[in-house]
Amino acid sequence: MVLEGLAGLLAEDPTVEVVGTATTVERARELLIELEPDVVVADYQLPDGTGADLVADAEANNLASYVLIISGLPNEDLLSHVVGSGCAGLISKGASGQDLIDAITVVSRGAAVYPATLLQHLNRAQHEARGFEITERELQILEYLAGGSSVDDIAVDASISVHTVRNHIRALLTKLSARSQLEAVVIGVQNGLIEIPPG
């Protein structure tokens, strides 16, 4: 019932096309490979695993699919697992339908979605680079990512090309040992490199 309701909600939005649904990780894996969706919206807790498990399947099959996790009780431990798995974002089941649609849109554009309230409570170190050797421009890009900006948005705001933005993001992921933009943001917050923008 929940799955049907969610699929129906998304199908009503003209910007979203629901290409398939599944109730288990195993079936979702099959559809992921068969349909190659832009975004996978997955419940965190599934009968045979977690929605975060799908990131590894996407990577193993060289698919450019972003995984957005929804959870009834998001907390710091869950956020850490979602981030460490390489998911593109995490949204609470308490969010509105429009919030979910907005999150899908943001994730599909290559940006990260996360509960800012959780990030704000993560333990932070001193405000120093801690040996990451991040340049001033890369730090600026990281701040844009923390604000939910997409690659295209950053290119316009920073007056640089999309290609240059992507190069900076790749450099950030390497220097921070992050698997995703979301993980890079979390590492940045944890190490006092950036602050989460209000709102």
Side-chain angles (χ1 to χ4, degrees):
M1 290 173 61
V2 173
L3 176 61
E4 291 175 358
L6 181 60
L9 170 71
L10 296 179
E12 290 178 358
D13 190 279
T15 66
V16 178
E17 179 185 4
V18 179
V19 296
T21 60
T23 56
T24 64
V25 173
E26 181 179 2
R27 179 56 179 154
R29 285 190 179 117
E30 296 172 355
L31 292 178
L32 178 67
I33 296 170
E34 176 186 344
L35 302 174
E36 298 185 17
D38 296 317
V39 178
V40 177
V41 179
D43 199 330
Y44 178 75
Q45 194 62 57
L46 294 169
D48 55 344
T50 73
D53 296 335
L54 296 171
V55 176
D57 295 291
E59 292 176 348
N61 290 278
N62 295 315
L63 301 178
S65 300
Y66 297 108
V67 178
L68 173 64
I69 296 296
I70 56 175
S71 173
L73 295 171
N75 54 50
E76 290 181 22
D77 289 339
L78 188 147
L79 176 62
S80 295
H81 182 236
V82 167
V83 166
S85 298
C87 294
L90 171 66
I91 187 169
S92 169
K93 288 182 180 178
S96 69
Q98 188 58 55
D99 286 338
L100 176 59
I101 291 169
D102 290 344
I104 292 171
T105 300
V106 169
V107 167
S108 71
R109 293 161 57 200
V113 172
Y114 50 82
T117 52
L118 286 184
L119 291 185
Q120 289 168 343
H121 287 90
L122 291 175
N123 292 327
R124 299 177 185 172
Q126 295 293 324
H127 288 242
E128 56 184 355
R130 292 175 62 94
F132 289 120
E133 298 183 359
I134 294 175
T135 66
E136 184 176 345
R137 175 64 88 177
E138 289 166 352
L139 187 59
Q140 179 188 34
I141 299 297
L142 187 60
E143 289 173 341
Y144 276 122
L145 295 177
S149 296
S150 68
V151 171
D152 290 339
D153 293 335
I154 296 171
V156 172
D157 291 344
S159 299
I160 55 179
S161 71
V162 169
H163 178 71
T164 299
V165 174
R166 288 176 176 153
N167 284 341
H168 284 311
I169 291 175
R170 278 195 289 270
L172 276 168
L173 297 185
T174 298
K175 291 180 179 181
L176 297 175
S177 299
R179 295 181 59 191
S180 66
Q181 293 180 27
L182 175 58
E183 186 170 16
V185 169
V186 170
I187 292 172
V189 172
Q190 287 177 320
N191 289 279
L193 300 176
I194 56 172
E195 297 283 346
I196 298 301

